[in-house]
């Protein structure tokens, strides 16, 4: 293979990303990576603890799978809500900075006590 072909192959592999179950692009979906990692950890912990407590393999697997689904969904929802809050705060700060730049030094500046006449 030539260098050009190798570079093209690297670029396409970077663009593809990692797809979970062929449907979820983990690199491009916000919060997906963290949610799946939290779910995997919770799945392992829940399944192992249930197995140590009961010694029932099938039921422990079911508890682990349920723990994965529940934790992944809860973690994804929490992350999305916090991202939405952060974006809202960023919009408020951005508007405040824009207003400061617009009104600074004018008679309509809300920080001055006289205000518009």
């Amino acid at each position: 293979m030539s260098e050009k072909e190798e570079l093209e192959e690297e670029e396409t592999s970077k663009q593809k990303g990692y797809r979970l179950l062929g449907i979820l692009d983990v690199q491009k979906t916000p919060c997906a990576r963290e949610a799946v990692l939290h779910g995997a950890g919770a799945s392992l912990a829940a399944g192992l603890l249930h197995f140590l407590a009961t010694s029932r393999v099938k039921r422990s697997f079911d508890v682990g799978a349920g723990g994965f689904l529940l934790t992944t969904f809860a973690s994804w929802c929490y992350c999305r809500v916090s991202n939405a809050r952060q974006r809202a705060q960023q919009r408020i700060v951005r508007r405040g900075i824009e207003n400061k730049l617009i009104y600074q030094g004018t008679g309509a500046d809300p920080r001055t006590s006289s205000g518009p006449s």
Side-chain angles (χ1 to χ4, degrees):
M1 259 202 262
S2 68
E3 274 187 51
K4 185 178 180 181
E5 290 174 354
E6 288 177 9
L7 290 174
E8 287 175 3
E9 186 176 313
E10 285 179 21
E11 287 178 15
T12 56
S13 67
K14 286 181 184 177
Q15 291 172 353
K16 273 186 177 180
Y18 177 73
R19 291 195 169 275
L20 183 66
L21 301 174
I23 56 172
L24 177 66
D25 190 358
V26 176
Q27 288 180 337
K28 294 181 183 174
T29 306
C31 302
R33 179 179 179 271
E34 291 83 7
V36 170
L37 290 175
H38 289 149
S43 168
L44 182 66
L48 184 63
L49 287 174
H50 190 271
F51 177 74
L52 291 175
T54 63
S55 296
R56 296 175 65 189
V57 177
K58 185 182 181 315
R59 179 58 59 107
S60 298
F61 177 81
D62 294 342
V63 167
F68 173 78
L69 293 174
L70 183 67
T71 308
T72 300
F73 181 69
S75 175
W76 183 77
C77 287
Y78 177 78
C79 182
R80 296 290 290 194
V81 166
S82 8
N83 281 353
R85 272 193 207 126
Q86 185 178 13
R87 280 193 308 272
Q89 288 175 346
Q90 287 172 346
R91 276 193 304 271
I92 292 169
V93 169
R94 189 179 323 120
R95 282 188 203 129
I97 291 172
E98 288 171 356
N99 287 339
K100 181 179 179 181
L101 291 174
I102 291 170
Y103 295 119
Q104 188 174 20
T106 65
D109 190 357
R111 294 183 304 153
T112 60
S113 59
S114 62
S117 300

